[in-house]
Amino acid sequence: MRVVHRARISPLLPETQWTLEGENLVERRGGRERRFQMSRLRRMSIAEGLARLDFPRARLRIPARSFASGVTIEDHGASFRALTEALAAEAAARAPSVRLGPSQPSGAELVVWTIGLFGLGALAMLAWSLLAGAWALGLALAARLAFVAILALAVLPWLARRGE
């Protein structure tokens, strides 16, 4: 039995369709199609209308809500529940070593967020100092924040290697 769930992730993107076809989970968006073998699933978590599936080389997020037209959001809870129940049953049958439950952010993900926030802080510091007329002080403080972001960026290869 084919289980299908459709959602529009963004108002700018075409509708995405997830289909469970035998052993494969198929994601179609526009003309693009990706296939994931359920036997290779590593982690699956379902929380608050979002299913997250981690495969060896990809991470898949399936939302229950969809953009209808413009910025109005509609709920596709029935098809989402049917798909997630079928995915859980298929994962139990095909991938016995899969970890179910809430996923915790990896160290690399946290470092990327930290880098982004430091970069945003550096830009904000520079903008506010230019508005206040103290551009030299703002430039010095923004450079220090950017330096910390660069140091955090240097740690990423080791964190990514450890997570494999």
Side-chain angles (χ1 to χ4, degrees):
M1 180 173 126
R2 280 181 39 159
V3 182
V4 179
H5 173 65
R6 291 180 179 91
R8 195 166 175 187
I9 299 172
S10 166
L12 304 174
L13 294 175
E15 185 178 62
T16 305
Q17 172 183 324
W18 294 274
T19 309
L20 188 59
E21 297 175 351
E23 184 183 327
N24 294 323
L25 174 65
V26 182
E27 178 188 55
R28 290 183 184 93
R29 180 183 304 145
R32 193 179 114 204
E33 178 179 300
R34 295 192 309 172
R35 293 186 169 271
F36 302 96
Q37 286 185 340
M38 290 301 293
S39 60
R40 302 197 63 192
L41 182 66
R42 288 186 178 172
R43 176 183 285 279
M44 180 176 168
S45 65
I46 303 165
E48 300 174 12
L50 181 70
R52 179 177 160 179
L53 289 83
D54 293 341
F55 291 92
R57 298 201 183 271
R59 180 176 297 153
L60 189 63
R61 290 188 171 105
I62 304 172
R65 294 180 194 92
S66 172
F67 284 97
S69 61
V71 291
T72 50
I73 296 176
E74 59 184 17
D75 190 25
H76 294 278
S79 64
F80 176 75
R81 277 188 294 280
L83 180 68
T84 54
E85 288 172 0
L87 284 173
E90 192 71 26
R94 305 245 185 223
S97 64
V98 68
R99 291 184 285 172
L100 300 174
S103 60
Q104 297 180 359
S106 67
E109 195 172 327
L110 293 174
V111 170
V112 168
W113 274 100
T114 304
I115 292 168
L117 289 174
F118 271 112
L120 188 63
L123 290 175
M125 179 70 65
L126 191 59
W128 282 108
S129 68
L130 288 174
L131 288 174
W135 63 271
L137 177 64
L139 186 61
L141 293 175
R144 285 171 173 78
L145 281 173
F147 179 70
V148 172
I150 292 170
L151 286 178
L153 189 63
V155 174
L156 271 180
W158 286 280
L159 291 176
R161 190 178 316 145
R162 190 183 73 187
E164 291 178 356

